[in-house]
Amino acid sequence: MKKHLPLLFFLIFPIIAFGQWTQSLSYYADKCNIKIGTAVGGVFYNNYDTGNAYDLTVKNNFNILVAENEMKWDAMEPSNNSFNFTKADQLTAYAFRTGKQVRGHNLCWHSQLPSWISNGLTNGIANGTFTRTTLMSILKNHITTIMTRYIGKVQQWDVLNEPFNDSGGTLRNSIWQQVIGNDYIDSVFVWAHRADPTAKLYLNDYGVEFSGGTKADAMYNYVSGMKSRNIPITGVGLQCHFTVSGNFNVSGLDANLKRYNALGLEAIITELEVKILKTDYTANSTLQLSNQAECYRRLIRLCLDNPNCKTFMTWGFTDLYSWIPGFTPAYDYSLLFDTNYAPKPAYFSILNELAVESQKTGLNDINDADIVKIQKLDNRIVVNSDNRIARCQLFDVQGKCLFVSESHSSTIEIPSNNLQQAIYILKLRMENGKIIVKKF
Ligand code: XIL
């Protein structure tokens, strides 16, 4: 026996080393045909592919990613017509390899602008640095250059972020609105659609979640107008920066999703977190976490029940790295994983809703039997294809991922000598983007 130990180690090691023994949100999300995503911040670029908790939590749970800051204007075009693609390239390459989509955030916003643009305002008022014509060509160049580079790599774009004032239902007088005029909004969508006709294009804002609110209704009316002018817009992004005990109106959100659906538009959840008052958390953390889990459960249920809400993204995933305590210091604990990357009750409430839903939709079995051949040998499963496989994952029926390979080859060997006799699910993402699922 002793002499077989190294061999045994060699066979079992890949399963343990690459194994994802935790549950996986994206396993069920893929079955339900919904995108579950997270924002990733600066730490992502130090952690990816390290196999550490940060990396594995992202890899295992999310099928769409968005950069928290790294694809904003100041990061991507720090000086006029001089672009920095480094981080966006890293994020899109990682997403491609691991079979995830990317949301681009964002192309036009009043905030996080580089000084060469924000210098065009003095005390918030346009100071004549730019004419309408020059600012239009700057904006068009920014959108066209970035979107063209990421065709097929970024599937959704926040073309326009936060164009509405907090109150009054009016348009924010950003530099774009002041120098170009209100028609900058139609223009950015037209330029974006020309740059990448395959991308989904969104107008994204906060405080617009609940039907009946002044800002929510203003956005709905504005977007209806865009639709009637045939502006190419896919839908709206509802940021959903929520508080556990406060601004949470399920029926208002449901009504909002439905009225956008009636216009033929998506209404998706783009920056969700459910923050908790620190003093409430200290008083009774169990109660707060369970209330938070119920908020998250109701929100994912709304998306599952509304056909135009098939993207559900949180603004970060671990309480270790969240913008909330920096932005609103009285609050924290807003995300799905705690500071040790342990899943919180909110995580399990989402997982459970997805698992229940996936029973309804069922699993599509392989339909192109000739594309992939699976052989079960004594101690391994051999997967063979004419095309190269970008990512190969093996799951058990509970959705635990037992093996993953991202070797980009046409033959994958999965050690199987410690697998029980049971039903397993093989999921392949081919290099050509096709997803193949086989139960055996
Ligand atoms: C936030 C980031 O999370 C912070 O790190 C940054 O300092 C400020 O911006 N709405 C948006 C996001 O559209 O871009 C914001 O992100 C959060 C609010």
Side-chain angles (χ1 to χ4, degrees):
M1 178 63 196
K2 246 186 176 160
K3 74 172 197 269
H4 294 304
L5 271 180
L7 177 67
L8 212 61
F9 178 77
F10 183 71
L11 288 174
I12 294 171
F13 177 73
I15 297 190
I16 296 168
F18 300 115
Q20 306 165 36
W21 292 100
T22 54
Q23 301 272 359
S24 158
L25 292 181
S26 51
Y27 167 79
Y28 291 110
D30 286 346
K31 285 174 144 194
C32 300
N33 231 344
I34 189 166
K35 294 291 167 210
I36 300 285
T38 181
V40 288
V43 275
F44 168 79
Y45 303 88
N46 307 325
N47 285 296
Y48 77 85
D49 286 343
T50 55
N52 66 9
Y54 185 101
D55 182 45
L56 289 182
T57 307
V58 172
K59 276 193 173 140
N60 294 349
N61 286 290
F62 302 104
N63 54 16
I64 185 166
L65 302 176
V66 61
E68 187 175 350
N69 289 299
E70 290 69 18
M71 289 173 75
K72 293 173 180 174
W73 197 308
D74 57 354
M76 294 217 67
E77 194 184 356
S79 52
N80 193 351
N81 201 29
S82 161
F83 288 85
N84 182 347
F85 297 117
T86 311
K87 295 215 163 136
D89 283 358
Q90 286 176 345
L91 177 64
T92 50
Y94 174 94
F96 179 78
R97 254 186 313 104
T98 56
K100 305 182 196 308
Q101 292 198 346
V102 175
R103 290 199 93 234
H105 175 83
N106 55 63
L107 294 166
C108 180
W109 192 22
H110 66 279
S111 184
Q112 293 185 261
L113 288 169
S115 54
W116 68 273
I117 292 183
S118 58
N119 285 345
L121 296 182
T122 304
N123 298 326
I125 308 294
N127 56 23
T129 304
F130 301 107
T131 63
R132 170 177 156 93
T133 312
T134 54
L135 202 59
M136 280 175 77
S137 84
I138 285 168
L139 189 49
K140 183 179 179 188
N141 183 50
H142 184 80
I143 292 171
T144 309
T145 307
I146 295 173
M147 285 189 70
T148 306
R149 185 177 181 93
Y150 297 109
I151 290 177
K153 295 175 180 162
V154 172
Q155 290 76 15
Q156 305 187 2
W157 280 102
D158 282 333
V159 175
L160 179 57
N161 200 33
E162 303 181 350
F164 292 95
N165 282 320
D166 287 351
S167 57
T170 46
L171 286 175
R172 193 187 282 276
N173 54 356
S174 64
I175 190 165
W176 316 111
Q177 190 272 342
Q178 289 186 51
V179 178
I180 300 174
N182 292 351
D183 61 344
Y184 85 96
I185 296 184
D186 286 358
S187 297
V188 289
F189 280 89
V190 170
W191 294 327
H193 183 63
R194 285 191 197 146
D196 181 358
T198 65
K200 291 182 167 195
L201 310 179
Y202 299 86
L203 190 159
N204 191 52
D205 213 326
Y206 63 87
V208 292
E209 291 81 7
F210 312 124
S211 189
T214 308
K215 188 173 175 180
D217 290 355
M219 176 151 127
Y220 170 78
N221 290 331
Y222 200 89
V223 170
S224 314
M226 291 171 72
K227 252 320 239 187
S228 63
R229 292 191 296 280
N230 285 323
I231 299 301
I233 177 169
T234 309
V236 294
L238 310 175
Q239 292 187 6
C240 298
H241 296 289
F242 291 154
T243 304
V244 70
S245 52
N247 57 349
F248 189 67
N249 167 1
V250 180
S251 59
L253 181 51
D254 190 39
N256 211 18
L257 301 182
K258 289 188 163 61
R259 66 177 171 172
Y260 280 107
N261 196 45
L263 282 182
L265 290 172
E266 293 187 9
I268 63 171
I269 293 185
T270 52
E271 302 183 15
L272 173 63
E273 81 263 310
V274 181
K275 58 187 179 297
I276 300 173
L277 203 55
K278 283 179 184 166
T279 48
D280 286 349
Y281 188 86
T282 310
N284 190 342
S285 61
T286 312
L287 173 69
Q288 293 302 322
L289 290 174
S290 118
N291 290 347
Q292 180 185 54
E294 178 60 8
C295 288
Y296 273 105
R297 190 194 66 71
R298 288 167 148 207
L299 287 165
I300 189 70
R301 183 36 62 199
L302 272 187
C303 286
L304 292 169
D305 290 343
N306 281 281
N308 61 332
C309 186
K310 295 303 170 213
T311 299
F312 180 95
M313 304 200 59
T314 54
W315 203 244
F317 60 95
T318 163
D319 290 337
L320 188 57
Y321 303 114
S322 161
W323 76 304
I324 288 299
F327 186 72
T328 46
Y331 293 87
D332 201 354
Y333 315 110
S334 60
L335 297 167
L336 301 182
F337 294 84
D338 71 14
T339 53
N340 295 314
Y341 300 94
K344 292 161 60 178
Y347 174 90
F348 291 107
S349 70
I350 294 180
L351 187 81
N352 192 49
E353 285 302 313
L354 290 171
V356 167
E357 187 71 13
S358 70
Q359 299 299 312
K360 295 184 199 162
T361 46
L363 183 72
N364 295 330
D365 213 341
I366 197 164
N367 43 14
D368 293 292
D370 53 340
I371 294 180
V372 172
K373 292 196 176 53
I374 300 168
Q375 286 172 278
K376 283 168 75 180
L377 304 178
D378 276 354
N379 58 0
R380 63 196 194 281
I381 300 162
V382 181
V383 183
N384 252 305
S385 167
D386 293 341
N387 301 317
R388 276 154 61 94
I389 300 164
R391 183 169 215 233
C392 167
Q393 288 170 286
L394 185 74
F395 296 93
D396 71 12
V397 277
Q398 267 87 43
K400 282 185 188 154
C401 185
L402 308 176
F403 173 88
V404 59
S405 155
E406 290 160 2
S407 61
H408 282 253
S409 56
S410 52
T411 302
I412 312 262
E413 298 210 356
I414 305 173
S416 64
N417 53 337
N418 65 346
L419 294 181
Q420 315 283 321
Q421 281 290 332
I423 293 173
Y424 293 97
I425 292 132
L426 186 74
K427 184 175 154 201
L428 306 174
R429 183 182 190 281
M430 311 305 287
E431 276 193 346
N432 62 16
K434 194 178 175 88
I435 306 279
I436 293 175
V437 181
K438 170 78 180 162
K439 204 193 289 186
F440 63 91

